[in-house]
Amino acid sequence: MTTATPLIDNTQSSVNETTKSQEQSLYQSSGAIVAAIVVGVIIIFTVVLLILKTYNRRMRVKRELEPKPTTKAMPPALGQNSNSMSQHPTVTFIPVDIHMQNR
């Protein structure tokens, strides 16, 4: 009498190994995807930072090179005719009686 070797055990163990290797590859690929996203975000932030630094430098140079006004605008009260009395504002003080009348 011969005994037959069960084929189910070999098939089940190969299925478990295949499932483990698929899970392992999924974990590895998901880790690689996350790493790629992080690297992409870092690259995007670096590019934006460099663009902003370049823009800031250009604007600063432009501000430094544009001509500055040499004469300052004078208010009208301190203009050429500041000695005339008609241009000075007048303040009128009217005292208000804050006490109420007693009846």
Side-chain angles (χ1 to χ4, degrees), residues 8-89:
I8 298 174
D9 291 332
N10 289 337
T11 309
Q12 190 173 5
S13 67
S14 66
V15 169
N16 284 341
E17 290 176 8
T18 306
T19 306
K20 286 181 182 178
S21 65
Q22 285 178 349
E23 287 179 5
Q24 187 177 9
S25 67
L26 283 175
Y27 284 128
Q28 288 175 349
S29 64
S30 65
I33 291 171
V34 169
I37 291 172
V38 168
V39 168
V41 168
I42 289 172
I43 289 172
I44 289 171
F45 280 150
T46 304
V47 169
V48 169
L49 178 69
L50 290 175
I51 290 171
L52 287 175
K53 284 179 71 172
T54 305
Y55 175 77
N56 190 19
R57 185 175 297 140
R58 286 183 185 172
M59 287 295 116
R60 184 174 44 115
V61 168
K62 184 178 177 183
R63 269 186 270 123
E64 289 175 355
L65 292 179
E66 66 185 18
K68 296 177 182 173
T70 56
T71 59
K72 295 182 180 177
M74 307 256 324
L78 300 176
Q80 294 175 352
N81 297 329
S82 62
N83 292 336
S84 66
M85 295 300 284
S86 64
Q87 290 184 354
H88 292 291

